[in-house]
Amino acid sequence: MLPEEELAEELTSRAPRAPSRLRVVAKRFFRSRQGLLGFAVLVLMFLLAFVGPLFSPWSYTDKDFTAFLQPPSSEHWFGTLQTGADVYAVTLRGMQKSLIVGLLAALVSTALAAFVGAFCGYFLGWTDRTLTWVVDLLLVLPAFLILAIMSPLFGAGQWPLFVVMLALFLWMVTSKIIRGMTISLKQREFIQAARFMGVVPVTIIFRHIIPNLSSLLIVDATLNVSAAILTETSLSYFGFGIQPPDVSFGTLIADGSKTAVYAPWTFWFVAGLLVITVLAVNLMGDALRDAFDPAAARRRG
């Protein structure tokens, strides 16, 4: 290697590297008090839901026939239900199910919105017209009524079907936003260069279009978690979501509301955990949005 090449290589290696976008966004996010608070609380909620049951001698299926509707005690930390079930055990089981349903529904709906919106915006023509017609049709369909009609299919062990159906009614508005952004993005120079080089359109969508929309998709997925948890809770409250013998936030709140006046421990523990979980997810979503777009945060300020 020539001396000039060695010198250039040495100078290049010593030159400071610009931090990656992910690192910059993470630094902004954890610098935000609300983002840090939301993240810490959500981690605690997950630990409580999935690790907490290991410290209890009771399972959510166990019944204590010597303690019906008993207040919190050293034996039953959150008290018991009318059936003798341990409130602590069934509450954490319900939290597990609601968190899993919320996360999976948010991921599926965001992925569906990304694919449909990107394909509509990139291809336009009959592809755009067909998919846009599907989106508009789903927007006008009564989601609650359809899920209520299909509720007999969400029996024991069939909750993944409930997740899919729930996700099908969460993605339409986001897909319209992504479609508009894709139409603008495909006019950029790097997309035009890829097309002139003969790159397959599907490859361009998955390698260039969708990654450049990652900030919107991450924020949308985060906010969809709380939306999915609240929707699942509402449906399960009316008996159209998670079906017995399994439990979720909605089924527990529905049962606890009947005894909330004279046995508040059957209602307020699960209601409080629901509020804290949704609040933590919303704080994270707001902080992520500000981290990806600090100019928007300054305008709101």
mmCIF file with all atom_site columns, all heavy atoms in Angstrom, residues 230-254:
data_model
loop_
_atom_site.group_PDB
_atom_site.id
_atom_site.type_symbol
_atom_site.label_atom_id
_atom_site.label_alt_id
_atom_site.label_comp_id
_atom_site.label_asym_id
_atom_site.label_entity_id
_atom_site.label_seq_id
_atom_site.pdbx_PDB_ins_code
_atom_site.Cartn_x
_atom_site.Cartn_y
_atom_site.Cartn_z
_atom_site.occupancy
_atom_site.B_iso_or_equiv
_atom_site.pdbx_formal_charge
_atom_site.auth_seq_id
_atom_site.auth_comp_id
_atom_site.auth_asym_id
_atom_site.auth_atom_id
_atom_site.pdbx_PDB_model_num
ATOM 1   N N   . LEU A 1 230 ? -57.449 -1.374  25.459 1.00 0.00 ? 230 LEU A N   1
ATOM 2   C CA  . LEU A 1 230 ? -58.743 -0.798  25.828 1.00 0.00 ? 230 LEU A CA  1
ATOM 3   C C   . LEU A 1 230 ? -59.887 -1.434  25.035 1.00 0.00 ? 230 LEU A C   1
ATOM 4   O O   . LEU A 1 230 ? -60.968 -1.677  25.585 1.00 0.00 ? 230 LEU A O   1
ATOM 5   C CB  . LEU A 1 230 ? -58.715 0.714   25.598 1.00 0.00 ? 230 LEU A CB  1
ATOM 6   C CG  . LEU A 1 230 ? -57.849 1.522   26.575 1.00 0.00 ? 230 LEU A CG  1
ATOM 7   C CD1 . LEU A 1 230 ? -57.806 2.985   26.169 1.00 0.00 ? 230 LEU A CD1 1
ATOM 8   C CD2 . LEU A 1 230 ? -58.386 1.389   27.999 1.00 0.00 ? 230 LEU A CD2 1
ATOM 9   N N   . THR A 1 231 ? -59.645 -1.713  23.750 1.00 0.00 ? 231 THR A N   1
ATOM 10  C CA  . THR A 1 231 ? -60.692 -2.349  22.941 1.00 0.00 ? 231 THR A CA  1
ATOM 11  C C   . THR A 1 231 ? -60.980 -3.763  23.434 1.00 0.00 ? 231 THR A C   1
ATOM 12  O O   . THR A 1 231 ? -62.140 -4.176  23.544 1.00 0.00 ? 231 THR A O   1
ATOM 13  C CB  . THR A 1 231 ? -60.266 -2.392  21.467 1.00 0.00 ? 231 THR A CB  1
ATOM 14  O OG1 . THR A 1 231 ? -59.955 -1.072  21.015 1.00 0.00 ? 231 THR A OG1 1
ATOM 15  C CG2 . THR A 1 231 ? -61.369 -2.971  20.602 1.00 0.00 ? 231 THR A CG2 1
ATOM 16  N N   . GLU A 1 232 ? -59.905 -4.499  23.731 1.00 0.00 ? 232 GLU A N   1
ATOM 17  C CA  . GLU A 1 232 ? -60.086 -5.856  24.259 1.00 0.00 ? 232 GLU A CA  1
ATOM 18  C C   . GLU A 1 232 ? -60.820 -5.816  25.589 1.00 0.00 ? 232 GLU A C   1
ATOM 19  O O   . GLU A 1 232 ? -61.702 -6.652  25.848 1.00 0.00 ? 232 GLU A O   1
ATOM 20  C CB  . GLU A 1 232 ? -58.719 -6.520  24.426 1.00 0.00 ? 232 GLU A CB  1
ATOM 21  C CG  . GLU A 1 232 ? -58.763 -7.935  24.978 1.00 0.00 ? 232 GLU A CG  1
ATOM 22  C CD  . GLU A 1 232 ? -58.824 -7.980  26.492 1.00 0.00 ? 232 GLU A CD  1
ATOM 23  O OE1 . GLU A 1 232 ? -58.184 -7.131  27.143 1.00 0.00 ? 232 GLU A OE1 1
ATOM 24  O OE2 . GLU A 1 232 ? -59.524 -8.871  27.033 1.00 0.00 ? 232 GLU A OE2 1
ATOM 25  N N   . THR A 1 233 ? -60.475 -4.848  26.434 1.00 0.00 ? 233 THR A N   1
ATOM 26  C CA  . THR A 1 233 ? -61.140 -4.727  27.726 1.00 0.00 ? 233 THR A CA  1
ATOM 27  C C   . THR A 1 233 ? -62.624 -4.442  27.551 1.00 0.00 ? 233 THR A C   1
ATOM 28  O O   . THR A 1 233 ? -63.478 -5.039  28.225 1.00 0.00 ? 233 THR A O   1
ATOM 29  C CB  . THR A 1 233 ? -60.478 -3.612  28.555 1.00 0.00 ? 233 THR A CB  1
ATOM 30  O OG1 . THR A 1 233 ? -59.093 -3.921  28.752 1.00 0.00 ? 233 THR A OG1 1
ATOM 31  C CG2 . THR A 1 233 ? -61.149 -3.483  29.912 1.00 0.00 ? 233 THR A CG2 1
ATOM 32  N N   . SER A 1 234 ? -62.942 -3.537  26.632 1.00 0.00 ? 234 SER A N   1
ATOM 33  C CA  . SER A 1 234 ? -64.341 -3.188  26.393 1.00 0.00 ? 234 SER A CA  1
ATOM 34  C C   . SER A 1 234 ? -65.128 -4.383  25.864 1.00 0.00 ? 234 SER A C   1
ATOM 35  O O   . SER A 1 234 ? -66.244 -4.668  26.321 1.00 0.00 ? 234 SER A O   1
ATOM 36  C CB  . SER A 1 234 ? -64.433 -2.030  25.401 1.00 0.00 ? 234 SER A CB  1
ATOM 37  O OG  . SER A 1 234 ? -63.737 -0.896  25.878 1.00 0.00 ? 234 SER A OG  1
ATOM 38  N N   . LEU A 1 235 ? -64.559 -5.091  24.897 1.00 0.00 ? 235 LEU A N   1
ATOM 39  C CA  . LEU A 1 235 ? -65.253 -6.247  24.327 1.00 0.00 ? 235 LEU A CA  1
ATOM 40  C C   . LEU A 1 235 ? -65.420 -7.357  25.359 1.00 0.00 ? 235 LEU A C   1
ATOM 41  O O   . LEU A 1 235 ? -66.485 -7.985  25.451 1.00 0.00 ? 235 LEU A O   1
ATOM 42  C CB  . LEU A 1 235 ? -64.482 -6.762  23.112 1.00 0.00 ? 235 LEU A CB  1
ATOM 43  C CG  . LEU A 1 235 ? -64.534 -5.872  21.866 1.00 0.00 ? 235 LEU A CG  1
ATOM 44  C CD1 . LEU A 1 235 ? -63.475 -6.298  20.856 1.00 0.00 ? 235 LEU A CD1 1
ATOM 45  C CD2 . LEU A 1 235 ? -65.920 -5.942  21.223 1.00 0.00 ? 235 LEU A CD2 1
ATOM 46  N N   . SER A 1 236 ? -64.358 -7.618  26.130 1.00 0.00 ? 236 SER A N   1
ATOM 47  C CA  . SER A 1 236 ? -64.439 -8.671  27.140 1.00 0.00 ? 236 SER A CA  1
ATOM 48  C C   . SER A 1 236 ? -65.408 -8.293  28.251 1.00 0.00 ? 236 SER A C   1
ATOM 49  O O   . SER A 1 236 ? -66.043 -9.168  28.859 1.00 0.00 ? 236 SER A O   1
ATOM 50  C CB  . SER A 1 236 ? -63.040 -8.943  27.721 1.00 0.00 ? 236 SER A CB  1
ATOM 51  O OG  . SER A 1 236 ? -62.166 -9.417  26.719 1.00 0.00 ? 236 SER A OG  1
ATOM 52  N N   . TYR A 1 237 ? -65.521 -6.991  28.537 1.00 0.00 ? 237 TYR A N   1
ATOM 53  C CA  . TYR A 1 237 ? -66.465 -6.537  29.561 1.00 0.00 ? 237 TYR A CA  1
ATOM 54  C C   . TYR A 1 237 ? -67.894 -6.940  29.185 1.00 0.00 ? 237 TYR A C   1
ATOM 55  O O   . TYR A 1 237 ? -68.688 -7.338  30.039 1.00 0.00 ? 237 TYR A O   1
ATOM 56  C CB  . TYR A 1 237 ? -66.344 -5.026  29.723 1.00 0.00 ? 237 TYR A CB  1
ATOM 57  C CG  . TYR A 1 237 ? -67.290 -4.440  30.756 1.00 0.00 ? 237 TYR A CG  1
ATOM 58  C CD1 . TYR A 1 237 ? -66.924 -4.378  32.093 1.00 0.00 ? 237 TYR A CD1 1
ATOM 59  C CD2 . TYR A 1 237 ? -68.556 -3.968  30.391 1.00 0.00 ? 237 TYR A CD2 1
ATOM 60  C CE1 . TYR A 1 237 ? -67.785 -3.850  33.048 1.00 0.00 ? 237 TYR A CE1 1
ATOM 61  C CE2 . TYR A 1 237 ? -69.417 -3.443  31.338 1.00 0.00 ? 237 TYR A CE2 1
ATOM 62  C CZ  . TYR A 1 237 ? -69.035 -3.381  32.660 1.00 0.00 ? 237 TYR A CZ  1
ATOM 63  O OH  . TYR A 1 237 ? -69.892 -2.869  33.600 1.00 0.00 ? 237 TYR A OH  1
ATOM 64  N N   . PHE A 1 238 ? -68.214 -6.827  27.899 1.00 0.00 ? 238 PHE A N   1
ATOM 65  C CA  . PHE A 1 238 ? -69.564 -7.186  27.439 1.00 0.00 ? 238 PHE A CA  1
ATOM 66  C C   . PHE A 1 238 ? -69.672 -8.654  27.024 1.00 0.00 ? 238 PHE A C   1
ATOM 67  O O   . PHE A 1 238 ? -70.709 -9.075  26.497 1.00 0.00 ? 238 PHE A O   1
ATOM 68  C CB  . PHE A 1 238 ? -69.969 -6.293  26.271 1.00 0.00 ? 238 PHE A CB  1
ATOM 69  C CG  . PHE A 1 238 ? -70.185 -4.860  26.652 1.00 0.00 ? 238 PHE A CG  1
ATOM 70  C CD1 . PHE A 1 238 ? -69.253 -3.895  26.320 1.00 0.00 ? 238 PHE A CD1 1
ATOM 71  C CD2 . PHE A 1 238 ? -71.311 -4.477  27.357 1.00 0.00 ? 238 PHE A CD2 1
ATOM 72  C CE1 . PHE A 1 238 ? -69.442 -2.572  26.688 1.00 0.00 ? 238 PHE A CE1 1
ATOM 73  C CE2 . PHE A 1 238 ? -71.512 -3.152  27.723 1.00 0.00 ? 238 PHE A CE2 1
ATOM 74  C CZ  . PHE A 1 238 ? -70.568 -2.188  27.384 1.00 0.00 ? 238 PHE A CZ  1
ATOM 75  N N   . GLY A 1 239 ? -68.605 -9.411  27.232 1.00 0.00 ? 239 GLY A N   1
ATOM 76  C CA  . GLY A 1 239 ? -68.649 -10.836 26.946 1.00 0.00 ? 239 GLY A CA  1
ATOM 77  C C   . GLY A 1 239 ? -68.333 -11.222 25.528 1.00 0.00 ? 239 GLY A C   1
ATOM 78  O O   . GLY A 1 239 ? -68.609 -12.357 25.121 1.00 0.00 ? 239 GLY A O   1
ATOM 79  N N   . PHE A 1 240 ? -67.743 -10.298 24.738 1.00 0.00 ? 240 PHE A N   1
ATOM 80  C CA  . PHE A 1 240 ? -67.466 -10.575 23.333 1.00 0.00 ? 240 PHE A CA  1
ATOM 81  C C   . PHE A 1 240 ? -65.974 -10.764 23.045 1.00 0.00 ? 240 PHE A C   1
ATOM 82  O O   . PHE A 1 240 ? -65.589 -10.861 21.889 1.00 0.00 ? 240 PHE A O   1
ATOM 83  C CB  . PHE A 1 240 ? -67.988 -9.427  22.458 1.00 0.00 ? 240 PHE A CB  1
ATOM 84  C CG  . PHE A 1 240 ? -69.460 -9.189  22.591 1.00 0.00 ? 240 PHE A CG  1
ATOM 85  C CD1 . PHE A 1 240 ? -69.955 -7.906  22.720 1.00 0.00 ? 240 PHE A CD1 1
ATOM 86  C CD2 . PHE A 1 240 ? -70.349 -10.249 22.603 1.00 0.00 ? 240 PHE A CD2 1
ATOM 87  C CE1 . PHE A 1 240 ? -71.310 -7.683  22.846 1.00 0.00 ? 240 PHE A CE1 1
ATOM 88  C CE2 . PHE A 1 240 ? -71.706 -10.034 22.733 1.00 0.00 ? 240 PHE A CE2 1
ATOM 89  C CZ  . PHE A 1 240 ? -72.190 -8.748  22.861 1.00 0.00 ? 240 PHE A CZ  1
ATOM 90  N N   . GLY A 1 241 ? -65.143 -10.785 24.063 1.00 0.00 ? 241 GLY A N   1
ATOM 91  C CA  . GLY A 1 241 ? -63.697 -10.893 23.860 1.00 0.00 ? 241 GLY A CA  1
ATOM 92  C C   . GLY A 1 241 ? -63.164 -12.229 24.332 1.00 0.00 ? 241 GLY A C   1
ATOM 93  O O   . GLY A 1 241 ? -63.572 -13.286 23.858 1.00 0.00 ? 241 GLY A O   1
ATOM 94  N N   . ILE A 1 242 ? -62.205 -12.183 25.253 1.00 0.00 ? 242 ILE A N   1
ATOM 95  C CA  . ILE A 1 242 ? -61.640 -13.401 25.840 1.00 0.00 ? 242 ILE A CA  1
ATOM 96  C C   . ILE A 1 242 ? -62.737 -14.152 26.572 1.00 0.00 ? 242 ILE A C   1
ATOM 97  O O   . ILE A 1 242 ? -63.465 -13.583 27.388 1.00 0.00 ? 242 ILE A O   1
ATOM 98  C CB  . ILE A 1 242 ? -60.483 -13.050 26.801 1.00 0.00 ? 242 ILE A CB  1
ATOM 99  C CG1 . ILE A 1 242 ? -59.385 -12.276 26.058 1.00 0.00 ? 242 ILE A CG1 1
ATOM 100 C CG2 . ILE A 1 242 ? -59.922 -14.310 27.434 1.00 0.00 ? 242 ILE A CG2 1
ATOM 101 C CD1 . ILE A 1 242 ? -58.748 -13.040 24.939 1.00 0.00 ? 242 ILE A CD1 1
ATOM 102 N N   . GLN A 1 243 ? -62.852 -15.449 26.282 1.00 0.00 ? 243 GLN A N   1
ATOM 103 C CA  . GLN A 1 243 ? -63.950 -16.240 26.816 1.00 0.00 ? 243 GLN A CA  1
ATOM 104 C C   . GLN A 1 243 ? -63.488 -17.105 27.991 1.00 0.00 ? 243 GLN A C   1
ATOM 105 O O   . GLN A 1 243 ? -62.338 -17.539 28.045 1.00 0.00 ? 243 GLN A O   1
ATOM 106 C CB  . GLN A 1 243 ? -64.533 -17.134 25.723 1.00 0.00 ? 243 GLN A CB  1
ATOM 107 C CG  . GLN A 1 243 ? -65.081 -16.369 24.520 1.00 0.00 ? 243 GLN A CG  1
ATOM 108 C CD  . GLN A 1 243 ? -66.269 -15.510 24.884 1.00 0.00 ? 243 GLN A CD  1
ATOM 109 O OE1 . GLN A 1 243 ? -67.175 -15.947 25.589 1.00 0.00 ? 243 GLN A OE1 1
ATOM 110 N NE2 . GLN A 1 243 ? -66.276 -14.266 24.387 1.00 0.00 ? 243 GLN A NE2 1
ATOM 111 N N   . PRO A 1 244 ? -64.379 -17.359 28.972 1.00 0.00 ? 244 PRO A N   1
ATOM 112 C CA  . PRO A 1 244 ? -64.054 -18.267 30.073 1.00 0.00 ? 244 PRO A CA  1
ATOM 113 C C   . PRO A 1 244 ? -63.693 -19.651 29.519 1.00 0.00 ? 244 PRO A C   1
ATOM 114 O O   . PRO A 1 244 ? -64.163 -20.020 28.430 1.00 0.00 ? 244 PRO A O   1
ATOM 115 C CB  . PRO A 1 244 ? -65.349 -18.309 30.886 1.00 0.00 ? 244 PRO A CB  1
ATOM 116 C CG  . PRO A 1 244 ? -66.068 -17.057 30.511 1.00 0.00 ? 244 PRO A CG  1
ATOM 117 C CD  . PRO A 1 244 ? -65.709 -16.799 29.079 1.00 0.00 ? 244 PRO A CD  1
ATOM 118 N N   . PRO A 1 245 ? -62.846 -20.400 30.216 1.00 0.00 ? 245 PRO A N   1
ATOM 119 C CA  . PRO A 1 245 ? -62.356 -20.155 31.584 1.00 0.00 ? 245 PRO A CA  1
ATOM 120 C C   . PRO A 1 245 ? -61.173 -19.199 31.665 1.00 0.00 ? 245 PRO A C   1
ATOM 121 O O   . PRO A 1 245 ? -60.673 -18.960 32.761 1.00 0.00 ? 245 PRO A O   1
ATOM 122 C CB  . PRO A 1 245 ? -61.940 -21.562 32.040 1.00 0.00 ? 245 PRO A CB  1
ATOM 123 C CG  . PRO A 1 245 ? -61.496 -22.227 30.774 1.00 0.00 ? 245 PRO A CG  1
ATOM 124 C CD  . PRO A 1 245 ? -62.402 -21.711 29.704 1.00 0.00 ? 245 PRO A CD  1
ATOM 125 N N   . ASP A 1 246 ? -60.690 -18.676 30.535 1.00 0.00 ? 246 ASP A N   1
ATOM 126 C CA  . ASP A 1 246 ? -59.598 -17.719 30.586 1.00 0.00 ? 246 ASP A CA  1
ATOM 127 C C   . ASP A 1 246 ? -60.118 -16.376 31.061 1.00 0.00 ? 246 ASP A C   1
ATOM 128 O O   . ASP A 1 246 ? -61.326 -16.117 31.040 1.00 0.00 ? 246 ASP A O   1
ATOM 129 C CB  . ASP A 1 246 ? -58.940 -17.577 29.209 1.00 0.00 ? 246 ASP A CB  1
ATOM 130 C CG  . ASP A 1 246 ? -57.442 -17.352 29.325 1.00 0.00 ? 246 ASP A CG  1
ATOM 131 O OD1 . ASP A 1 246 ? -57.004 -16.916 30.406 1.00 0.00 ? 246 ASP A OD1 1
ATOM 132 O OD2 . ASP A 1 246 ? -56.728 -17.618 28.349 1.00 0.00 ? 246 ASP A OD2 1
ATOM 133 N N   . VAL A 1 247 ? -59.200 -15.503 31.475 1.00 0.00 ? 247 VAL A N   1
ATOM 134 C CA  . VAL A 1 247 ? -59.591 -14.199 32.005 1.00 0.00 ? 247 VAL A CA  1
ATOM 135 C C   . VAL A 1 247 ? -58.734 -13.115 31.362 1.00 0.00 ? 247 VAL A C   1
ATOM 136 O O   . VAL A 1 247 ? -57.662 -13.385 30.814 1.00 0.00 ? 247 VAL A O   1
ATOM 137 C CB  . VAL A 1 247 ? -59.432 -14.140 33.540 1.00 0.00 ? 247 VAL A CB  1
ATOM 138 C CG1 . VAL A 1 247 ? -60.404 -15.063 34.231 1.00 0.00 ? 247 VAL A CG1 1
ATOM 139 C CG2 . VAL A 1 247 ? -57.994 -14.465 33.945 1.00 0.00 ? 247 VAL A CG2 1
ATOM 140 N N   . SER A 1 248 ? -59.244 -11.896 31.423 1.00 0.00 ? 248 SER A N   1
ATOM 141 C CA  . SER A 1 248 ? -58.511 -10.727 30.958 1.00 0.00 ? 248 SER A CA  1
ATOM 142 C C   . SER A 1 248 ? -58.961 -9.543  31.796 1.00 0.00 ? 248 SER A C   1
ATOM 143 O O   . SER A 1 248 ? -59.818 -9.675  32.681 1.00 0.00 ? 248 SER A O   1
ATOM 144 C CB  . SER A 1 248 ? -58.763 -10.467 29.469 1.00 0.00 ? 248 SER A CB  1
ATOM 145 O OG  . SER A 1 248 ? -60.088 -10.019 29.263 1.00 0.00 ? 248 SER A OG  1
ATOM 146 N N   . PHE A 1 249 ? -58.407 -8.371  31.521 1.00 0.00 ? 249 PHE A N   1
ATOM 147 C CA  . PHE A 1 249 ? -58.817 -7.183  32.259 1.00 0.00 ? 249 PHE A CA  1
ATOM 148 C C   . PHE A 1 249 ? -60.327 -6.965  32.144 1.00 0.00 ? 249 PHE A C   1
ATOM 149 O O   . PHE A 1 249 ? -61.003 -6.631  33.118 1.00 0.00 ? 249 PHE A O   1
ATOM 150 C CB  . PHE A 1 249 ? -58.087 -5.951  31.722 1.00 0.00 ? 249 PHE A CB  1
ATOM 151 C CG  . PHE A 1 249 ? -56.734 -5.726  32.350 1.00 0.00 ? 249 PHE A CG  1
ATOM 152 C CD1 . PHE A 1 249 ? -55.732 -5.076  31.655 1.00 0.00 ? 249 PHE A CD1 1
ATOM 153 C CD2 . PHE A 1 249 ? -56.477 -6.137  33.642 1.00 0.00 ? 249 PHE A CD2 1
ATOM 154 C CE1 . PHE A 1 249 ? -54.493 -4.854  32.233 1.00 0.00 ? 249 PHE A CE1 1
ATOM 155 C CE2 . PHE A 1 249 ? -55.246 -5.928  34.234 1.00 0.00 ? 249 PHE A CE2 1
ATOM 156 C CZ  . PHE A 1 249 ? -54.250 -5.288  33.523 1.00 0.00 ? 249 PHE A CZ  1
ATOM 157 N N   . GLY A 1 250 ? -60.853 -7.146  30.932 1.00 0.00 ? 250 GLY A N   1
ATOM 158 C CA  . GLY A 1 250 ? -62.265 -6.885  30.715 1.00 0.00 ? 250 GLY A CA  1
ATOM 159 C C   . GLY A 1 250 ? -63.173 -7.821  31.490 1.00 0.00 ? 250 GLY A C   1
ATOM 160 O O   . GLY A 1 250 ? -64.158 -7.385  32.116 1.00 0.00 ? 250 GLY A O   1
ATOM 161 N N   . THR A 1 251 ? -62.890 -9.115  31.473 1.00 0.00 ? 251 THR A N   1
ATOM 162 C CA  . THR A 1 251 ? -63.735 -10.067 32.195 1.00 0.00 ? 251 THR A CA  1
ATOM 163 C C   . THR A 1 251 ? -63.647 -9.842  33.701 1.00 0.00 ? 251 THR A C   1
ATOM 164 O O   . THR A 1 251 ? -64.650 -9.967  34.408 1.00 0.00 ? 251 THR A O   1
ATOM 165 C CB  . THR A 1 251 ? -63.314 -11.508 31.862 1.00 0.00 ? 251 THR A CB  1
ATOM 166 O OG1 . THR A 1 251 ? -61.921 -11.696 32.194 1.00 0.00 ? 251 THR A OG1 1
ATOM 167 C CG2 . THR A 1 251 ? -63.507 -11.803 30.381 1.00 0.00 ? 251 THR A CG2 1
ATOM 168 N N   . LEU A 1 252 ? -62.461 -9.501  34.192 1.00 0.00 ? 252 LEU A N   1
ATOM 169 C CA  . LEU A 1 252 ? -62.311 -9.265  35.632 1.00 0.00 ? 252 LEU A CA  1
ATOM 170 C C   . LEU A 1 252 ? -63.028 -7.998  36.062 1.00 0.00 ? 252 LEU A C   1
ATOM 171 O O   . LEU A 1 252 ? -63.639 -7.948  37.136 1.00 0.00 ? 252 LEU A O   1
ATOM 172 C CB  . LEU A 1 252 ? -60.819 -9.169  35.984 1.00 0.00 ? 252 LEU A CB  1
ATOM 173 C CG  . LEU A 1 252 ? -60.014 -10.466 35.818 1.00 0.00 ? 252 LEU A CG  1
ATOM 174 C CD1 . LEU A 1 252 ? -58.543 -10.222 36.085 1.00 0.00 ? 252 LEU A CD1 1
ATOM 175 C CD2 . LEU A 1 252 ? -60.545 -11.545 36.766 1.00 0.00 ? 252 LEU A CD2 1
ATOM 176 N N   . ILE A 1 253 ? -62.958 -6.945  35.242 1.00 0.00 ? 253 ILE A N   1
ATOM 177 C CA  . ILE A 1 253 ? -63.665 -5.708  35.581 1.00 0.00 ? 253 ILE A CA  1
ATOM 178 C C   . ILE A 1 253 ? -65.178 -5.935  35.527 1.00 0.00 ? 253 ILE A C   1
ATOM 179 O O   . ILE A 1 253 ? -65.933 -5.406  36.358 1.00 0.00 ? 253 ILE A O   1
ATOM 180 C CB  . ILE A 1 253 ? -63.237 -4.581  34.627 1.00 0.00 ? 253 ILE A CB  1
ATOM 181 C CG1 . ILE A 1 253 ? -61.794 -4.156  34.943 1.00 0.00 ? 253 ILE A CG1 1
ATOM 182 C CG2 . ILE A 1 253 ? -64.170 -3.383  34.730 1.00 0.00 ? 253 ILE A CG2 1
ATOM 183 C CD1 . ILE A 1 253 ? -61.231 -3.114  34.004 1.00 0.00 ? 253 ILE A CD1 1
ATOM 184 N N   . ALA A 1 254 ? -65.635 -6.717  34.563 1.00 0.00 ? 254 ALA A N   1
ATOM 185 C CA  . ALA A 1 254 ? -67.067 -7.014  34.469 1.00 0.00 ? 254 ALA A CA  1
ATOM 186 C C   . ALA A 1 254 ? -67.547 -7.762  35.714 1.00 0.00 ? 254 ALA A C   1
ATOM 187 O O   . ALA A 1 254 ? -68.615 -7.448  36.269 1.00 0.00 ? 254 ALA A O   1
ATOM 188 C CB  . ALA A 1 254 ? -67.346 -7.835  33.214 1.00 0.00 ? 254 ALA A CB  1
#
